[in-house]
Amino acid sequence: MSDPYAAQRDEMVDRQIAARGVSDARVLAAMRKVARHEFVPDHLKPDAYGDGPLPIGEGQTISQPYIVALMTEALLLQGGEHVLEIGTGSGYAAAVLAEIAADVVTIERIAPLAAQARTVLQRLGYANVKVEVGDGTLGWPAAAPYDAIVVTAGGPFVPPTLRNQLKPGGRLVMPVGRDSWAQSLVRVTRGSDGEDRQEELSLVSFVPLIGAEGWKDASRREAGGSR
Ligand code: SAH
């Protein structure tokens, strides 16, 4: 069956993603392939290829397509990696990652969102994605270490526990900042000597990362654990 949204999706990649400077061929191919309309509520399907985040319930959002592409590119994936995502949400970014990586473990703190994402990912055939429920600021030690870790919610600092689940040479990409409307997109690269290199890539705006090494709660923006 042909996909009625294929033309809109190609246009999304051309106008919103490639035109803004994302050039990694693997990322562009994944963004052309993953059916974003499958990851949004039915009444929002006509808007699925628009240039912004959309509500997915529970006060959460599916990220803007450009931001998913930007963060995926920032992970510097070559194909074949073992990847951890924090903040499953709709499952869309996990599907994009799964198009490139060997396998993806994704963690969501809100159980109904995790269940919904798991259903969609299964239906679309993403057998290489495992959705888990829990506090992702603590990572997922059972499957550590990872080649790449991406956090799709904004926290006050990069959780040390997550850093420590990176392989030598591994990359972690995450929005960090004290404001609810703007964070810096940060990339941490774990050196083979155990020393981390940290870069700031751009400004982004994400829902809060809530957990032991994130914010204590969404409204008060009080940091949880210590740095
Ligand atoms: N990657 C998602 C976007 C998710 S929005 C997508 O493609 O749709 C961020 C998600 O992070 C929300 O669903 C929120 O509930 C979740 N989240 C926030 N703090 C978390 C934590 N400590 N562990 C796991 N998930 C968390």
Side-chain angles (χ1 to χ4, degrees):
M1 201 181 70
S2 79
D3 176 351
Y5 291 95
Q8 283 186 45
R9 192 159 56 245
D10 271 337
E11 198 172 300
M12 169 192 87
V13 174
D14 295 341
R15 295 201 185 161
Q16 300 170 27
I17 297 172
R20 292 195 181 118
V22 172
S23 62
D24 185 313
R26 291 179 188 81
V27 174
L28 295 174
M31 299 297 298
R32 280 191 206 282
K33 184 155 174 208
V34 180
R36 191 170 188 260
H37 63 273
E38 301 281 3
F39 295 87
V40 303
D42 279 347
H43 70 285
L44 293 176
K45 284 194 196 306
D47 305 325
Y49 297 97
D51 195 9
L54 291 170
I56 55 169
E58 309 282 343
Q60 306 304 321
T61 56
I62 177 172
S63 305
Q64 180 188 7
Y66 167 66
I67 294 296
V68 173
L70 183 75
M71 291 178 85
T72 305
E73 183 174 63
L75 292 172
L76 305 172
L77 302 174
Q78 303 294 310
E81 288 88 352
H82 178 49
V83 175
L84 176 67
E85 180 196 29
I86 312 306
T88 311
S90 67
Y92 173 67
V96 170
L97 292 165
E99 288 288 343
I100 304 170
D103 72 280
V104 178
V105 177
T106 180
I107 308 180
E108 172 55 55
R109 60 182 283 273
I110 301 176
L113 288 181
Q116 202 174 305
R118 196 180 283 129
T119 303
V120 177
L121 289 162
Q122 258 170 25
R123 179 162 53 77
L124 298 180
Y126 288 101
N128 59 340
V129 181
K130 261 184 74 185
V131 181
E132 305 283 2
V133 177
D135 176 5
T137 67
L138 302 176
W140 194 257
Y146 302 94
D147 298 296
I149 300 177
V150 62
V151 183
T152 64
F157 51 84
V158 177
T161 305
L162 274 188
R163 270 178 207 267
N164 289 331
Q165 290 179 22
L166 280 175
K167 290 182 189 172
R171 286 84 55 203
L172 180 155
V173 171
M174 168 181 170
V176 178
R178 305 211 66 89
D179 293 337
S180 48
W181 63 92
Q183 301 99 27
S184 296
L185 190 61
V186 162
R187 174 168 58 205
V188 173
T189 306
R190 173 133 289 200
S192 37
D193 52 1
E195 284 282 297
D196 289 344
R197 187 160 63 95
Q198 189 157 323
E199 302 157 87
E200 288 191 9
L201 305 176
S202 59
L203 280 180
V204 290
S205 181
F206 271 86
V207 298
L209 178 72
I210 299 166
E213 296 187 29
W215 299 107
K216 267 190 195 154
D217 73 59
S219 51
R220 283 186 304 148
R221 290 273 169 177
E222 205 180 313
S226 57
R227 252 158 252 238

